[in-house]
Amino acid sequence: MTSNSETGRRARSQGPSIATVARQAGVSTATVSRIVNGVTNKASADTIARVQKAVSDLGYRPSSAGQTLRRSESRLVALVAANLANPAMSAIAASVEVALREKGLVMVLCDSHDRPDLQDEYLLEMRAQAVQGFILLGAVDSPALKEMVEAGQSIVFVNRASPLGNGSAFVGIDNAQAGADVAEFLFGKGVQEPLVIHGSLASSATAIRVEAFQSRFMELRGRRAAVAGSDSLDHLEIGRQEVAAYIEANGRPPEGVFCLSDLIAYGAARALREAGYVPEQDCVLIGFDDNPMNDWIAPWLTSVRVPYRQFGPVIVETMLNLGSGHRAPVVELPHELVDRSDWRG
Amino acid sequence: MTSNSETGRRARSQGPSIATVARQAGVSTATVSRIVNGVTNKASADTIARVQKAVSDLGYRPSSAGQTLRRSESRLVALVAANLANPAMSAIAASVEVALREKGLVMVLCDSHDRPDLQDEYLLEMRAQAVQGFILLGAVDSPALKEMVEAGQSIVFVNRASPLGNGSAFVGIDNAQAGADVAEFLFGKGVQEPLVIHGSLASSATAIRVEAFQSRFMELRGRRAAVAGSDSLDHLEIGRQEVAAYIEANGRPPEGVFCLSDLIAYGAARALREAGYVPEQDCVLIGFDDNPMNDWIAPWLTSVRVPYRQFGPVIVETMLNLGSGHRAPVVELPHELVDRSDWRG
DNA sequence: ACAACTTGGGTAAACGATTACCCAATTGAT
DNA sequence: ATCAATTGGGTAATCGTTTACCCAAGTTGT
C-alpha cells in the first residue's frame, strides 16, 4: 500500500498526473481526459462525479508539456517588445497580460532591445515553445521574422507595422492623422519654425507620424520643419541632447517641438530647464503616447494620447481571430491630442 | 519521394523535429540528441559534422514540449508581480528578463494585482507549465503559495518577504536601515511633525520601513509621526488624497512627508500644487524606489534609491543556486538616499 | 590467437495528454 | 426472440526528446 500510494506520483514538486487521477477514481486515463475536457457523453453521471472528486481532491491540472506535445500548441503567447524601458511598451504589456489571462493564455515577455539578432533568437525560441502566437511591439526586419510570416504563424504587429510590408495583422492608431493633428496644433499656437525630434525611423509608426506632420505643416506654413533625432533607445537623452544642441546653435530654445515620444519630451524639458528656461512657458512641447502618469508628473505636457488600456483586449482578439478571416485585420484605435498648454504651476 | 520529403515534417508552422534531422543525417534520433546536447564521445567526428550540418540546414531547435515532458522541467520561469502599473515592478521585470535570457531561460510575466485568488491561479498554472522557478514581486498569503513552498519549489521573494515567514530566499534591501535613513534625513531637515503615507501594509517591506522610520524618529524627536495610507494599488491617488485631506484638516501642508513609493510622492506633489503650494518649497517630500526617470520628471524629489538594475542578475543567480545551498539565501542590496532637496527649478 | 576493452551508434522505454477505434452490455424496435 | 442501436468506457498509438542498455567491430594486451 505504501509503495502503491507513491507509484505514479511525479516528484512532489510536479503535481499529480492524469494517471494518478485515473487510479484514484478507478477509471482509465482516457475517461479522465474526456471528463476534464468536458466530453460528457462517454461517461455515466456516477463516473463523472467520481472523477471530478478525484480531480479536485488531488488538485489535478493537466501538464502543459503533455498537452502541448499532443496538440502541438501550447497556451503560451509571446510578446516581443522593442524596449521595455519605455513606459508605453510596459503599459501595453500589462494590458495584454490581463487580456490573455482572461482567455486562459499565458504571456511570455521578451525584450528585443530593437536588435534583429535578439529578435530572431526570441522568435526561434518561441516557436520551439509552440506558442499560439506572437505579438510584436516594434518589430525589426530579420530573417526569422520573414520565416514565421511565411509559415503562417499568428502574428500581430502593434504600433509599428510589419517591416515586410503588406498583409499582416496590425493594431495601432491612425499615425498619419496623429501627425497632422500635431502640425495643426503647433501651427495654431503660432509656432512658425518647430523642431521635430524622433527616435528610430526604422519604426514605421514614427516615420509616418513625422511625414504626415511635415506634409500638413507644409500645407499650413509653406515650409517643412527641422528634424533631429537618432536611433538610440534612450529617448530621454535624445530629447535632452537635441534640444541642448539647438539652444547651443541658435542661442534660444525652439518655439515648439514635436517629440515623437513622451520620453523625448521629458528629455527636451530637462534640457530647457538646464539652460535656464521654463518648459511650459518658453517652448510649446508636444509629446506622444501620453503616459498615464502625465497628469501627475508632467501636467504641463500636451501629448497625443494613445489608448493603451484598450490595446490588450483588441490585440488578443485580433490574434485569436487570425485563423478565421482571410484578410489581415488592421485595427486603428482612436487617439486624442490632450492639450495641457494652459497649465500653470 | 515527394511524399517522403513531407513525412515526419510537422505542420510547417512548427519547425523540424529531431526525427527529420536524424533522417537527413542518416543516423538515429539518439545520436542527434546526444550531439545536440554536447555528448561527443558517442559519435565519430564525421558523424558529428554531418549531424551539425543537418541541424543548421534545417534550423532545428528541440521542441520545448518534448524536452519538458522528458526532463519534467521547462525553460520557463514565472515572474509574478503584484502590480505592473508600478514602474518599480516593471523595472525589475525588465531586468529579470535580461538576466534570464542570458541563462537561456524564458520569462513568463503575471500580474496578480495583489489578489490571493489570482496569485493562486497563476501559481497553479505555472506549476502545470513545469516552470523552473518562481520570482514573486510582492507575494500575498494564499493556499497555493503554502503548497509550493512546502513542495520545495524554487521560489525567490523580492522586496516583500514570504508571508509564511522564515526560510525562504529573499532579495531586497535593508528595509529597516532605509526607514531609519529617512527618519534621520527628515529630522535633519528640521521636520518636527512629518506625515507617513503608505500603500498596503500587508507588504512586509512597507511595514518594516514604516516601523523603522517611527522607531528612529522616536529616538531623535521623542515622538512618532502621523501615519496615513490605504491598501489601494493606486498609489498616485493615495498620495494625493492623504495630502489633500491633511491640508483640509490642518489648513497647511505637512512639513515633510515620507511617501512609501515614488508614486505616492507624485500624488502628494499633485495635491500640494492643487492647493496652491509648490512641492519643492513648501514641503519636504521623500519618495521611495527612486524611479530612474526621477532625474527627468521629478528632479526635485528626494528618494531612496533601490538598485533595480542589479536585481535581475541577483534574483536569477539566487534562484538557480537554490538547489545547492542548504540555507535560504537572503540578499540585501545597497540602497541610497538620493538627496535632491537643493533643486530649484 | 584469444580475452578484454574501447569506439560508435542503434533500440526502446518513459514522460503526460488526447483520441481514434474497439468492444461489451444494455436498450429499443419489430 | 432477434437484430440494431446506443451507452459507457477501455486500449493503444501518437506527439518529441532523452537515456539506459545493448551490440558489433575494431583495438590492445598477453
Side-chain angles (χ1 to χ4, degrees):
Chain A
M1 287 299 273
T2 309
S3 74
N4 192 30
S5 74
E6 280 304 320
T7 312
R9 292 285 305 220
R10 287 176 276 179
R12 74 196 196 300
S13 70
Q14 286 302 305
S17 83
I18 198 171
T20 315
V21 179
R23 220 172 308 121
Q24 174 113 358
V27 297
S28 73
T29 62
T31 300
V32 175
S33 177
R34 283 189 287 251
I35 291 172
V36 167
N37 288 291
V39 179
T40 53
N41 66 333
K42 299 287 278 181
S44 66
D46 183 55
T47 304
I48 293 180
R50 263 199 345 273
V51 169
Q52 284 176 337
K53 179 166 190 318
V55 164
S56 96
D57 284 354
L58 292 165
Y60 168 70
R61 182 175 287 232
S63 145
S64 177
Q67 286 187 323
T68 301
L69 197 53
R70 180 65 220 247
R71 300 179 168 154
S72 59
E73 184 172 78
S74 71
R75 281 194 300 279
L76 264 33
V77 172
L79 171 22
V80 184
N83 179 21
L84 287 176
N86 188 329
M89 303 257 182
S90 314
I92 296 179
S95 149
V96 167
E97 196 273 341
V98 172
L100 286 174
R101 174 177 48 74
E102 285 170 359
K103 301 284 186 182
L105 300 172
V106 170
M107 181 176 84
V108 175
L109 185 58
C110 315
D111 189 342
S112 74
H113 299 271
D114 230 358
R115 283 167 43 190
D117 57 331
L118 254 185
Q119 176 177 289
D120 269 11
E121 168 60 24
Y122 279 123
L123 291 177
L124 295 171
E125 171 65 23
M126 290 307 120
R127 183 175 62 180
Q129 297 279 350
V131 294
Q132 288 204 4
F134 296 88
I135 298 168
L136 303 182
L137 259 64
V140 296
D141 200 358
S142 74
L145 177 61
K146 191 154 183 289
E147 198 180 325
M148 301 291 166
V149 169
E150 287 172 355
Q153 290 275 8
S154 293
I155 306 182
V156 177
F157 292 86
V158 178
N159 274 352
R160 200 187 291 181
S162 170
L164 283 63
N166 59 24
S168 292
F170 173 82
V171 174
I173 63 167
D174 183 341
N175 290 307
Q177 185 61 53
D181 289 351
V182 174
E184 295 196 7
F185 181 85
L186 276 178
F187 185 78
K189 286 286 172 184
V191 174
Q192 300 286 311
E193 297 190 1
L195 175 62
V196 176
I197 307 181
H198 58 77
S200 171
L201 287 174
S203 162
S204 65
T206 299
I208 293 171
R209 289 164 192 174
V210 170
E211 187 42 42
F213 172 89
Q214 291 283 38
S215 172
R216 185 79 185 109
F217 195 75
M218 169 69 98
E219 286 173 20
L220 296 166
R221 175 70 176 82
R223 62 157 72 176
R224 296 168 77 86
V227 174
S230 86
D231 282 351
S232 161
L233 284 180
D234 189 346
H235 284 196
L236 294 162
E237 278 296 350
I238 293 179
R240 184 190 192 186
Q241 286 167 10
E242 296 299 348
V243 167
Y246 186 100
I247 293 174
E248 172 82 18
N250 299 71
R252 57 170 179 78
E255 296 169 75
V257 186
F258 176 21
C259 302
L260 276 113
S261 74
D262 280 352
L263 296 183
I264 292 175
Y266 302 153
R270 179 172 182 176
L272 289 169
R273 283 192 298 262
E274 285 172 344
Y277 299 97
V278 178
E280 56 267 34
Q281 287 168 15
D282 300 326
C283 178
V284 184
L285 229 42
I286 314 289
F288 212 106
D289 291 336
D290 196 39
N291 184 336
M293 290 201 320
N294 275 348
D295 281 330
W296 306 79
I297 58 176
W300 41 267
L301 180 63
T302 294
S303 187
V304 177
R305 174 167 298 169
V306 182
Y308 289 122
R309 225 54 71 72
Q310 294 175 42
F311 270 48
V314 172
I315 290 169
V316 171
E317 203 59 44
T318 302
M319 192 192 77
L320 262 24
N321 287 339
L322 268 185
S324 53
H326 37 321
R327 286 169 49 89
V330 171
V331 183
E332 290 187 340
L333 294 169
H335 65 274
E336 175 195 3
L337 200 149
V338 178
D339 182 0
R340 298 194 183 87
S341 60
D342 56 352
W343 187 86
R344 286 297 166 260
Chain B
M1 286 300 272
T2 310
S3 73
N4 192 29
S5 74
E6 280 304 319
T7 311
R9 292 284 306 219
R10 285 175 278 178
R12 74 199 195 298
S13 71
Q14 285 302 304
S17 83
I18 198 171
T20 315
V21 178
R23 220 171 308 121
Q24 173 114 358
V27 297
S28 73
T29 61
T31 300
V32 175
S33 177
R34 284 189 287 250
I35 291 173
V36 167
N37 288 289
V39 179
T40 53
N41 65 333
K42 298 287 278 181
S44 67
D46 184 55
T47 303
I48 292 179
R50 261 196 351 271
V51 169
Q52 285 176 338
K53 179 165 189 321
V55 165
S56 96
D57 284 355
L58 292 164
Y60 169 69
R61 182 175 287 232
S63 143
S64 179
Q67 287 188 323
T68 301
L69 195 53
R70 178 65 219 245
R71 299 177 167 156
S72 59
E73 184 172 76
S74 71
R75 281 194 299 280
L76 265 32
V77 172
L79 171 22
V80 184
N83 179 22
L84 287 176
N86 187 329
M89 302 255 181
S90 313
I92 296 179
S95 151
V96 166
E97 196 274 342
V98 172
L100 285 175
R101 174 178 46 75
E102 284 171 359
K103 300 283 185 185
L105 300 172
V106 170
M107 181 176 86
V108 174
L109 185 59
C110 316
D111 190 340
S112 74
H113 298 271
D114 231 359
R115 283 167 43 190
D117 58 332
L118 255 186
Q119 176 177 291
D120 269 11
E121 169 59 24
Y122 279 124
L123 291 177
L124 295 171
E125 172 63 24
M126 291 305 122
R127 182 174 65 179
Q129 296 280 349
V131 295
Q132 289 203 3
F134 297 87
I135 298 169
L136 303 181
L137 259 63
V140 295
D141 201 356
S142 74
L145 178 60
K146 191 154 183 290
E147 199 181 324
M148 301 290 165
V149 169
E150 286 171 356
Q153 290 275 8
S154 292
I155 306 182
V156 177
F157 291 86
V158 179
N159 275 353
R160 198 187 293 181
S162 169
L164 283 64
N166 59 23
S168 292
F170 175 80
V171 175
I173 62 167
D174 183 341
N175 290 308
Q177 184 63 52
D181 290 351
V182 174
E184 295 196 5
F185 181 86
L186 276 179
F187 186 77
K189 286 286 174 187
V191 174
Q192 300 287 310
E193 296 190 2
L195 174 62
V196 176
I197 308 181
H198 58 77
S200 171
L201 287 175
S203 162
S204 64
T206 299
I208 294 173
R209 290 165 191 172
V210 169
E211 187 42 41
F213 172 89
Q214 291 285 37
S215 171
R216 184 79 185 107
F217 195 76
M218 170 68 100
E219 286 173 21
L220 296 166
R221 177 69 175 82
R223 64 157 73 174
R224 296 169 76 88
V227 175
S230 85
D231 282 350
S232 162
L233 284 181
D234 190 346
H235 284 197
L236 293 162
E237 278 296 350
I238 293 178
R240 184 190 192 184
Q241 286 168 9
E242 295 300 348
V243 166
Y246 186 101
I247 292 173
E248 171 84 16
N250 300 70
R252 55 168 181 79
E255 296 170 74
V257 185
F258 176 20
C259 303
L260 277 110
S261 75
D262 280 351
L263 295 182
I264 292 175
Y266 302 153
R270 180 171 183 178
L272 289 168
R273 283 193 297 262
E274 286 173 344
Y277 298 97
V278 178
E280 56 267 34
Q281 288 168 13
D282 300 326
C283 178
V284 184
L285 228 43
I286 314 289
F288 212 106
D289 292 334
D290 197 37
N291 185 336
M293 290 202 318
N294 274 348
D295 282 329
W296 307 78
I297 57 175
W300 41 268
L301 180 62
T302 294
S303 187
V304 177
R305 174 166 298 168
V306 181
Y308 290 123
R309 226 54 71 74
Q310 294 173 44
F311 270 49
V314 172
I315 290 169
V316 171
E317 202 61 44
T318 302
M319 192 193 75
L320 262 23
N321 287 338
L322 269 185
S324 53
H326 36 319
R327 287 169 49 88
V330 172
V331 184
E332 290 187 340
L333 293 168
H335 65 273
E336 176 195 3
L337 199 151
V338 178
D339 182 359
R340 298 194 183 86
S341 60
D342 56 352
W343 186 87
R344 285 297 165 263

